[in-house]
Amino acid sequence: MAETKIPYKIYLEEDEMPKSWYNLRADMKNKPEPLVNPGTGKPLSKEELIPIFCEELVDQELDDTTPMIPIPDEIRDFYKMYRPSPLVRAYCLEKKLGTPAKIYYKFEGNNTSGSHKLNSAIAQAYYAKKQGLKGVTTETGAGQWGTALSMACSYFDLDCKVYMVKVSYEQKPFRREVMRTYGASVVPSPSETTEVGKKILAEHPGTTGSLGCAISEAVETATKNEGYRYVLGSVLNQVLLHQSVIGLEAKTALDKYDIHPDIIIGCSGGGSNLGGLIAPFMGEKLRGEADYRIIAVEPASCPSFTRGTFAYDFCDTGMICPLAKMYTLGSSFIPSANHAGGLRFHGMSTTLSQLYHDGFMEAVSVEQTSVFEAAEQFARSEGILPAPESSHAIRVAIDEAMKCKETGEEKTIVFGLSGTGYFDLVAYQKYNDGQMSDEIPTDEDIAASIAKLPKIN
Amino acid sequence: MAETKIPYKIYLEEDEMPKSWYNLRADMKNKPEPLVNPGTGKPLSKEELIPIFCEELVDQELDDTTPMIPIPDEIRDFYKMYRPSPLVRAYCLEKKLGTPAKIYYKFEGNNTSGSHKLNSAIAQAYYAKKQGLKGVTTETGAGQWGTALSMACSYFDLDCKVYMVKVSYEQKPFRREVMRTYGASVVPSPSETTEVGKKILAEHPGTTGSLGCAISEAVETATKNEGYRYVLGSVLNQVLLHQSVIGLEAKTALDKYDIHPDIIIGCSGGGSNLGGLIAPFMGEKLRGEADYRIIAVEPASCPSFTRGTFAYDFCDTGMICPLAKMYTLGSSFIPSANHAGGLRFHGMSTTLSQLYHDGFMEAVSVEQTSVFEAAEQFARSEGILPAPESSHAIRVAIDEAMKCKETGEEKTIVFGLSGTGYFDLVAYQKYNDGQMSDEIPTDEDIAASIAKLPKIN
């Protein structure tokens, strides 16, 4: 069989690694709608954005026409330390499932941040350094983004201030210690270091914090301190641009062995992993050069694509960030305690939202117990303990492979394994102990938060 | 510069991966002394060993003449899921150090067990399955070996019973949950499931356990249950044989780019990582084909090579295991609370002990605060958060590179990065908080435990 020549893992050579990022928006006929100033109701200009974000990143954020944007050498050098990530043929999973489908996964977890987040963190740190800044601020919930940013800032000798939601700061000390090892200052949020933090603490003395509050503190610190800017790990167009390295590598690896995927699957929270993985495939689809089924997988507890509405909304629960036109459950929506922290976002990347709205991709939602069943099955056959977020994609990849078993079709499935679950073992313990439950919002829950969408719509 | 052609990471192709393990003993003129029955004082025969260990593993344990032992296809297939491991050029570390030395590391941490332990776990599980066994038993302290064995047993559908030292079971719940996710039954030791456990619990009701006790329980369970055998993750010759895959891959990668190392460095606890890494290089040295400086690095708190004696001793603190001729601090030696759990063993592989005794390698001991300094420096420049064990090798690699900086010599240094520190963040926290200390045994401490060596010497 010629097929057995495909290795378990396809690694690219250094000279095959992408030299440019791919800007998916350039190939979109219907561009994503611009970010809007909630005060004026008008699109945010570059001038309004550069006090908060690094200047070159603002340019990338606003550029929806340039298809290929060169990756600076400094970033490519860093990529070489942990990339290319392998494209893995899931021979053992296929065998366990008894499916004729061919399953591949692009594994982004082989770095100390444990996920794909590092791809954008290093780019954002680079542009901050290039601009001559002293440092950057950000917020982190579960901690993957904060870890990635700490590593990137350490590499470029930038100061890194991470506002970590207090409950995570206390309950996830390991993530916190990784960040500290990389020299970041990690502040439990709300804190006394900002005006907004002090105000929240005065009003709610015992609060354990929220991502919305941590964002507010990070933005305040960035804007009030000379030489600092705020950076963000998902949702934004610039992040999807940097993450396109995932899809570009995957496509090169597939092309090298003449493999044509039928289905491409990724989990979606804010869209950074999914947008990065599908970018070049979606580009071919938009240009009419190829067709793929592209499936976004989201948690049933936070189903922005499948049960949200396509409208302008705040990106943060604190309602201080710009408005974005996206699939949203409403910025006041509070998802139930799902263990995939990275997917607990009420909205979605504007780019992916537009593509979904225009029918270029599908979306499904899955319940977390079935996600952990898939995670366990994957861990036992493929050896890698997956992140709960990534396991959403595994769930649907297995479901599609089992459909192939019924029909006998030999479809080729590619999914994104965006990270490892080494820091999610509290969730695995719940699953191992049979104590995991599924809580799905009612129609009334969603209607209530959508009713509070800002007036601009 | 021709040199820049060497990629950051050298990955072998699947067809370049080793097809046989290398049995270093075959090239030794002075063979390691045999394991001895403490009751009879005579070398243990195959017949005495097979009730405890799998039969083919006993053959490997006793074979000191066959140089190359083929790796069965089933094991090579599993290796392909997480190997080859990369040989990485530490460009960024070199730059930070400002050294003319060229530093390479062989990184074994990119798998869910987080270390090289999986290389032998999968081999031992395979031979157990081939023998038609139901399952295997083992002990684990820090949990790396237990995790690796759980993964291997899950792959071959073998039952896996892990006796985990009670204090680790309670304080390291994450390792425990990884093992459970892979289907292992993890029992806190001492337990009520064995006679020896019951006895210890009756005598010391509040005990938090010890590795010696966990070994006793694992051995009892293996010998008293039909279809079970006991397996061990270090010290034994068979383990060094399986781990030779590390060195063989490293050597192939170096040869591919015509790189000739001057110094090879590995951390040493029981010897599995060091023995595996150096195997083919030591082989060349023994055959007079090449010369290398080979350096074993051990913690100053448990310095078996540098301050122990070369004598027959028990392999376990419980004194139920066979006697081995090795460098030892005495089986009653209790190292201080060093955070490199995998290096807290009083003895050393018999093979490595003989080689050290015969002058084929050097050994140095290092203190843990200086080890964590090196770990932090490495993490910040190379991106990988190293295991405390592996960081011992990093410490000496940096020291040697700094000597090159003084002399201007462009030496080539290869060291083994045996694992990641994702489950060691309590230790990193101590270091980050400035609360780590160095406790080094006195000469009297060591003399006292060496005085209790068994009479056979």
Side-chain angles (χ1 to χ4, degrees):
Chain A
M1 270 196 328
E3 203 209 17
T4 54
K5 283 183 195 160
I6 294 170
Y8 276 66
K9 288 174 293 166
I10 306 175
Y11 279 109
L12 302 180
E13 302 291 328
E14 271 182 13
D15 59 11
E16 296 172 314
M17 287 172 67
K19 292 174 185 63
S20 299
W21 292 302
Y22 168 56
N23 183 7
L24 181 55
R25 288 166 290 163
D27 282 313
M28 290 169 69
K29 220 169 80 182
N30 298 330
K31 307 288 183 191
E33 299 288 342
L35 295 175
V36 157
N37 181 326
T40 64
K42 291 193 180 141
L44 279 161
S45 64
K46 180 171 175 181
E47 289 62 38
E48 287 173 294
L49 288 165
I50 55 175
I52 306 170
F53 297 110
C54 302
E55 191 165 344
E56 277 194 72
L57 292 168
V58 170
D59 290 337
Q60 293 180 353
E61 190 64 30
L62 299 176
D63 182 348
D64 58 12
T65 55
T66 313
M68 300 307 290
I69 295 179
I71 307 174
D73 284 346
E74 292 83 350
I75 298 173
R76 291 183 60 213
D77 278 348
F78 188 88
Y79 279 170
K80 285 176 192 165
M81 286 207 290
Y82 72 100
R83 309 197 64 81
S85 71
L87 181 76
V88 188
R89 173 75 182 266
Y91 282 116
C92 298
L93 179 63
E94 291 171 17
K95 200 174 151 192
K96 278 264 164 86
L97 298 175
T99 176
K102 297 173 186 69
I103 307 174
Y104 295 84
Y105 54 94
K106 179 73 170 165
F107 179 40
E108 292 289 316
N110 271 350
N111 69 74
T112 288
S113 81
S115 80
H116 67 292
K117 294 284 182 186
L118 197 51
N119 300 330
S120 184
I122 192 63
Q124 298 194 44
Y126 166 76
Y127 290 113
K129 186 73 179 178
K130 194 177 165 200
Q131 193 172 328
L133 298 176
K134 285 185 207 155
V136 293
T137 71
T138 200
E139 76 290 336
T140 202
Q144 280 170 315
W145 167 246
T147 310
L149 190 67
S150 307
M151 293 173 65
C153 286
S154 158
Y155 183 75
F156 284 122
D157 272 326
L158 274 173
D159 188 36
C160 180
K161 286 192 203 303
V162 180
Y163 287 89
M164 187 171 190
V165 179
K166 193 179 270 175
V167 62
S168 298
Y169 183 90
E170 286 163 1
Q171 291 182 356
K172 299 203 165 188
F174 287 1
R175 279 274 182 206
R176 182 187 75 209
E177 292 308 320
V178 180
M179 290 184 255
R180 288 182 70 204
T181 300
Y182 281 93
S185 62
V186 187
V187 183
S189 168
S191 75
E192 297 282 352
T193 68
T194 64
E195 292 308 313
V196 61
K198 282 181 204 164
K199 189 163 166 257
I200 291 168
L201 283 171
E203 286 168 10
H204 311 277
T207 180
T208 54
S210 71
L211 207 54
C213 170
I215 292 175
S216 306
E217 290 201 84
V219 171
E220 181 185 318
T221 301
T223 50
K224 287 202 176 159
N225 285 279
E226 183 74 27
Y228 282 80
R229 291 294 184 282
Y230 169 70
V231 296
L232 185 64
S234 190
V235 184
L236 297 177
N237 292 321
Q238 58 187 270
V239 178
L240 265 71
L241 174 72
H242 307 147
Q243 295 295 356
S244 70
V245 70
I246 305 171
L248 291 165
E249 279 185 10
K251 181 136 181 35
T252 304
L254 291 166
D255 287 349
K256 199 169 167 177
Y257 288 90
D258 207 22
I259 303 160
H260 302 277
D262 299 294
I263 308 174
I264 299 161
I265 301 167
C267 65
S268 57
S272 70
N273 157 67
L274 179 69
L277 173 69
I278 67 173
F281 305 98
M282 183 61 87
E284 288 187 305
K285 194 166 173 170
L286 290 169
R287 297 188 303 269
E289 296 164 7
D291 198 17
Y292 306 99
R293 271 186 73 198
I294 295 176
I295 308 176
V297 190
E298 57 188 16
S301 59
C302 195
S304 45
F305 269 140
T306 52
R307 296 177 67 196
T309 191
F310 188 45
Y312 265 104
D313 193 9
F314 287 96
C315 290
D316 63 319
T317 46
M319 301 194 188
I320 59 158
C321 283
L323 300 173
K325 177 86 179 277
M326 59 187 175
Y327 277 85
T328 179
L329 296 160
S331 69
S332 64
F333 178 80
I334 296 167
S336 63
N338 186 288
H339 287 288
L343 305 184
R344 298 182 75 227
F345 181 60
H346 66 278
M348 182 57 63
S349 137
T350 58
T351 300
L352 296 181
S353 291
Q354 189 65 50
L355 290 165
Y356 180 64
H357 187 69
D358 292 343
F360 288 103
M361 51 190 273
E362 307 166 33
V364 293
S365 75
V366 290
E367 297 181 12
Q368 72 172 343
T369 47
S370 78
V371 165
F372 274 83
E373 275 168 32
E376 183 186 88
Q377 194 167 21
F378 181 82
R380 292 188 182 185
S381 50
E382 290 292 313
I384 298 168
L385 189 81
E389 290 85 353
S390 323
S391 304
H392 285 68
I394 299 174
R395 172 73 275 160
V396 173
I398 290 177
D399 290 346
E400 291 293 331
M402 293 311 283
K403 285 182 202 161
C404 289
K405 188 175 180 176
E406 278 175 35
T407 61
E409 287 174 290
E410 288 187 29
K411 286 187 180 164
T412 296
I413 298 167
V414 173
F415 73 88
L417 188 69
S418 54
T420 56
Y422 304 147
F423 292 94
D424 300 287
L425 283 154
V426 170
Y428 274 96
Q429 180 171 1
K430 268 227 159 114
Y431 177 74
N432 292 335
D433 289 342
Q435 289 174 352
M436 186 169 275
S437 63
D438 295 308
E439 287 173 51
I440 297 165
T442 63
D443 288 343
E444 290 71 30
D445 292 338
I446 294 174
S449 56
I450 284 179
K452 293 181 200 153
L453 287 180
K455 295 279 178 300
I456 185 171
N457 289 291
Chain B
M1 276 197 317
E3 203 210 19
T4 55
K5 281 183 194 160
I6 293 168
Y8 276 67
K9 288 174 292 167
I10 307 176
Y11 279 110
L12 302 180
E13 301 291 327
E14 270 182 15
D15 58 11
E16 295 172 314
M17 288 172 66
K19 292 174 185 63
S20 298
W21 292 302
Y22 168 56
N23 183 5
L24 182 55
R25 289 165 289 165
D27 282 313
M28 290 168 70
K29 220 170 78 181
N30 299 330
K31 307 289 184 190
E33 298 289 341
L35 295 174
V36 156
N37 182 327
T40 64
K42 291 196 178 138
L44 278 161
S45 65
K46 179 171 176 182
E47 289 62 37
E48 288 174 291
L49 288 165
I50 55 175
I52 305 170
F53 296 110
C54 303
E55 192 166 343
E56 277 194 72
L57 291 168
V58 170
D59 290 336
Q60 294 180 353
E61 190 64 31
L62 299 175
D63 181 349
D64 58 12
T65 54
T66 313
M68 301 307 290
I69 295 180
I71 307 174
D73 285 346
E74 291 83 349
I75 298 173
R76 291 183 58 212
D77 279 348
F78 188 88
Y79 279 170
K80 285 176 193 166
M81 285 207 292
Y82 72 100
R83 308 195 67 79
S85 71
L87 181 76
V88 188
R89 173 76 183 266
Y91 282 116
C92 299
L93 179 64
E94 291 171 17
K95 200 173 151 190
K96 278 263 162 86
L97 297 176
T99 176
K102 297 174 186 70
I103 308 174
Y104 295 84
Y105 54 94
K106 179 72 170 165
F107 180 39
E108 292 290 315
N110 270 350
N111 70 73
T112 289
S113 81
S115 81
H116 68 292
K117 293 284 180 186
L118 197 51
N119 301 330
S120 183
I122 192 64
Q124 297 195 45
Y126 166 76
Y127 291 113
K129 186 73 180 179
K130 194 177 166 202
Q131 194 174 325
L133 298 177
K134 286 184 205 153
V136 293
T137 71
T138 198
E139 76 290 336
T140 202
Q144 279 171 316
W145 168 245
T147 308
L149 191 67
S150 305
M151 292 173 66
C153 286
S154 159
Y155 184 74
F156 284 124
D157 272 328
L158 274 173
D159 188 36
C160 179
K161 286 192 204 303
V162 181
Y163 287 89
M164 187 169 189
V165 178
K166 193 180 270 175
V167 62
S168 298
Y169 183 90
E170 286 163 0
Q171 291 182 355
K172 298 202 165 190
F174 287 1
R175 280 272 182 208
R176 180 187 78 208
E177 293 306 322
V178 180
M179 291 184 253
R180 289 182 70 205
T181 300
Y182 281 94
S185 62
V186 188
V187 183
S189 168
S191 75
E192 296 283 353
T193 68
T194 64
E195 292 309 313
V196 62
K198 282 181 204 164
K199 190 163 164 257
I200 291 168
L201 283 171
E203 285 168 12
H204 312 278
T207 180
T208 54
S210 71
L211 207 54
C213 170
I215 293 175
S216 307
E217 290 201 85
V219 172
E220 181 184 319
T221 302
T223 50
K224 286 204 176 161
N225 286 280
E226 182 74 26
Y228 281 81
R229 291 295 185 280
Y230 170 69
V231 296
L232 185 64
S234 190
V235 185
L236 298 177
N237 293 320
Q238 59 186 269
V239 176
L240 266 71
L241 174 72
H242 307 146
Q243 295 295 358
S244 69
V245 70
I246 305 171
L248 291 165
E249 279 186 9
K251 178 132 182 43
T252 304
L254 290 166
D255 288 349
K256 199 169 166 177
Y257 288 90
D258 206 23
I259 304 161
H260 301 276
D262 299 294
I263 308 174
I264 299 162
I265 301 166
C267 65
S268 58
S272 70
N273 158 65
L274 179 69
L277 174 68
I278 67 173
F281 305 99
M282 183 62 87
E284 288 186 307
K285 192 164 173 169
L286 289 168
R287 296 189 303 270
E289 297 165 6
D291 198 18
Y292 307 99
R293 273 186 72 200
I294 295 176
I295 308 175
V297 190
E298 55 188 18
S301 59
C302 194
S304 45
F305 270 139
T306 50
R307 296 177 67 196
T309 191
F310 188 45
Y312 265 105
D313 193 10
F314 287 97
C315 289
D316 63 320
T317 46
M319 300 193 188
I320 59 159
C321 284
L323 300 173
K325 177 87 178 277
M326 59 187 177
Y327 278 85
T328 178
L329 296 160
S331 69
S332 63
F333 177 79
I334 296 168
S336 63
N338 187 288
H339 287 288
L343 305 183
R344 298 182 74 226
F345 181 60
H346 66 277
M348 183 56 62
S349 138
T350 57
T351 299
L352 296 181
S353 292
Q354 188 65 51
L355 290 165
Y356 180 64
H357 187 69
D358 291 344
F360 288 104
M361 52 192 270
E362 306 166 34
V364 293
S365 74
V366 290
E367 298 181 12
Q368 72 172 345
T369 47
S370 77
V371 165
F372 275 82
E373 275 167 32
E376 184 186 87
Q377 195 168 18
F378 181 81
R380 292 187 183 186
S381 49
E382 289 293 312
I384 297 168
L385 188 83
E389 290 84 352
S390 322
S391 303
H392 285 68
I394 298 174
R395 172 73 275 160
V396 173
I398 290 176
D399 291 345
E400 291 293 333
M402 293 312 284
K403 284 183 204 163
C404 289
K405 189 175 179 175
E406 278 174 34
T407 61
E409 287 174 291
E410 288 187 29
K411 286 189 181 162
T412 296
I413 298 168
V414 173
F415 73 89
L417 187 70
S418 54
T420 57
Y422 305 146
F423 292 93
D424 301 288
L425 283 154
V426 170
Y428 274 97
Q429 180 170 1
K430 268 226 160 108
Y431 177 75
N432 291 336
D433 290 342
Q435 289 173 354
M436 186 170 275
S437 62
D438 295 308
E439 287 173 51
I440 297 166
T442 63
D443 288 343
E444 290 71 29
D445 291 338
I446 294 174
S449 56
I450 283 179
K452 293 182 200 154
L453 287 180
K455 294 278 178 300
I456 185 170
N457 289 294

